[in-house]
Amino acid sequence: MSKFIYINSTAVSVTEEVYYTYHKMKRYEKTLVEKDHRNRLIHYDAWDDEFISKVPINGNLISTPEDIVVLKQTRLRLYQSLSLLPEAERDLIRALFFEGKSIAALSKQLKIPPRTIGYRRDRTLKNLREMMTHK
């Protein structure tokens, strides 16, 4: 009896050993993703690069290899710090800075006063700043 695995939507006939190894690895990958989700870990490459890549360094657009390295290191520190935030704070930062929502729009959506959103934003940014400077 032949075993098949699907690669790019095409059934490929494989040995039984390959079939079971393939499915064992697929299950292991799924387990790792589930574990990360349980631990509220967000990998930095899951965030939108478009926002970060347009950030100027010292008022200038990125132009040298050194600037690119600094940006990548800063971005990595930012993503690591963001992944350590509580989910509510992470969602707030994502909505305000990555999705471009205004405090007023977020206030209506969450049914929370705008001043409360502003306070939470300021507190979260302070925490992020501290995390990034103490690493």
Side-chain angles (χ1 to χ4, degrees), residues 27 30 32 34 37 39 51 55 62 70 91 102 110 121 123 130 135:
R27 180 63 205 141
K30 187 174 179 182
L32 291 176
E34 291 167 351
H37 181 71
N39 293 326
F51 173 78
V55 174
I62 301 166
V70 168
D91 290 344
S102 68
L110 300 175
R121 176 205 59 206
R123 185 187 66 214
E130 289 174 3
K135 283 195 172 196

Side-chain angles (χ1 to χ4, degrees), residues 52-55 57 62 66-76:
I52 297 292
S53 65
K54 292 180 181 175
V55 174
I57 296 177
I62 301 166
E66 292 84 7
D67 289 342
I68 293 170
V69 170
V70 168
L71 177 65
K72 285 187 177 199
Q73 289 174 340
T74 304
R75 183 181 353 186
L76 179 59

Side-chain angles (χ1 to χ4, degrees), residues 98-124:
F98 290 85
E99 295 172 6
K101 290 186 180 177
S102 68
I103 288 179
L106 205 52
S107 172
K108 286 180 185 175
Q109 177 186 338
L110 300 175
K111 297 180 176 99
I112 298 174
R115 292 183 80 171
T116 302
I117 301 238
Y119 171 78
R120 290 179 183 173
R121 176 205 59 206
D122 295 345
R123 185 187 66 214
T124 302

Side-chain angles (χ1 to χ4, degrees), residues 117-134:
I117 301 238
Y119 171 78
R120 290 179 183 173
R121 176 205 59 206
D122 295 345
R123 185 187 66 214
T124 302
L125 289 175
K126 181 181 175 193
N127 290 342
L128 268 175
R129 235 178 267 116
E130 289 174 3
M131 290 167 142
M132 290 184 66
T133 57
H134 289 63

